[in-house]
Amino acid sequence: MENVKDDSVFFENEIDINSSVERLSGILLNLENITKWDHDIDTVKKDSDGFVIIRKTAAVNPVEHIQVRKENNRIIYISTMGKLEYKVIFTLTDNEGKVNLREDLILTNSSSIKLPLSILKPITKSAFKQVLEVLKAVSESENVESQF
């Protein structure tokens, strides 16, 4: 089966959000907010070096561990302990009062996946794009905590 071993981007999504870089960064850094914008996630548990997330629907990774890092204008989620291990790099760019949010997904270990990556890619990209649309709506509303 295919296994990705380098840091090449598996797919990318992009969206413009009517928010500030600071607000959107705060939302992304506080992973306890993820249940507000990723409705497949049921539970988020903080541990000593990140978060364990548990999904309420069938998924490639029903449970995974995520570490959150900030590097300049990027928020990075590093997912381990699932069948599919990956990094999501969110790059936030101020664009005249809006934020251009680019999401790059990099597979770090796909050896446990039985489905060919060529089939998995469009399904996963579409699912992640839908989650970005919800993140946009949440970040443009006033009802979410951010971490500054």
Side-chain angles (χ1 to χ4, degrees):
M1 200 53 44
E2 301 165 87
N3 188 20
V4 175
K5 294 182 181 177
D6 62 17
D7 274 354
S8 61
V9 174
F10 186 53
F11 67 77
E12 66 182 59
N13 285 311
E14 199 166 342
I15 192 167
D16 287 325
I17 298 175
N18 294 315
S19 185
S20 68
V21 168
E22 294 78 17
R23 177 169 170 74
L24 188 53
S25 291
I27 292 168
L28 290 168
L29 286 168
N30 183 356
L31 200 67
E32 292 167 320
N33 284 323
I34 199 169
T35 58
K36 296 177 182 175
W37 50 274
D38 188 336
H39 296 151
D40 289 338
I41 296 175
D42 183 51
T43 306
V44 178
K45 297 178 184 176
K46 187 163 180 47
D47 67 14
S48 62
D49 66 341
F51 300 86
V52 175
I53 63 169
I54 302 168
R55 288 186 172 72
K56 56 185 162 190
T57 58
V60 172
N61 290 344
V63 177
E64 62 189 289
H65 184 267
I66 297 181
Q67 291 180 318
V68 180
R69 296 189 182 149
K70 183 174 187 339
E71 296 177 2
N72 300 316
N73 67 331
R74 300 183 320 160
I75 311 292
I76 302 167
Y77 290 0
I78 302 166
S79 173
T80 57
M81 295 178 22
K83 288 182 182 177
L84 185 67
E85 295 185 347
Y86 59 90
K87 290 191 287 190
V88 178
I89 301 173
F90 297 102
T91 304
L92 294 81
T93 306
D94 187 6
N95 187 11
E96 298 177 12
K98 294 182 180 181
V99 178
N100 176 265
L101 179 64
R102 178 182 162 142
E103 171 188 63
D104 294 319
L105 187 119
I106 298 167
L107 299 181
T108 56
N109 187 350
S110 58
S111 61
S112 297
I113 299 295
K114 304 302 179 216
L115 191 63
L117 294 178
S118 60
I119 293 174
L120 183 64
K121 182 177 182 175
I123 296 166
T124 308
K125 179 178 171 127
S126 176
F128 273 68
K129 179 66 173 180
Q130 289 174 9
V131 170
L132 279 186
E133 293 290 344
V134 178
L135 174 60
K136 173 185 168 86
V138 167
S139 65
E140 290 177 349
S141 78
E142 299 296 322
N143 302 322
V144 66
E145 297 282 325
S146 60
Q147 169 188 321
F148 294 108

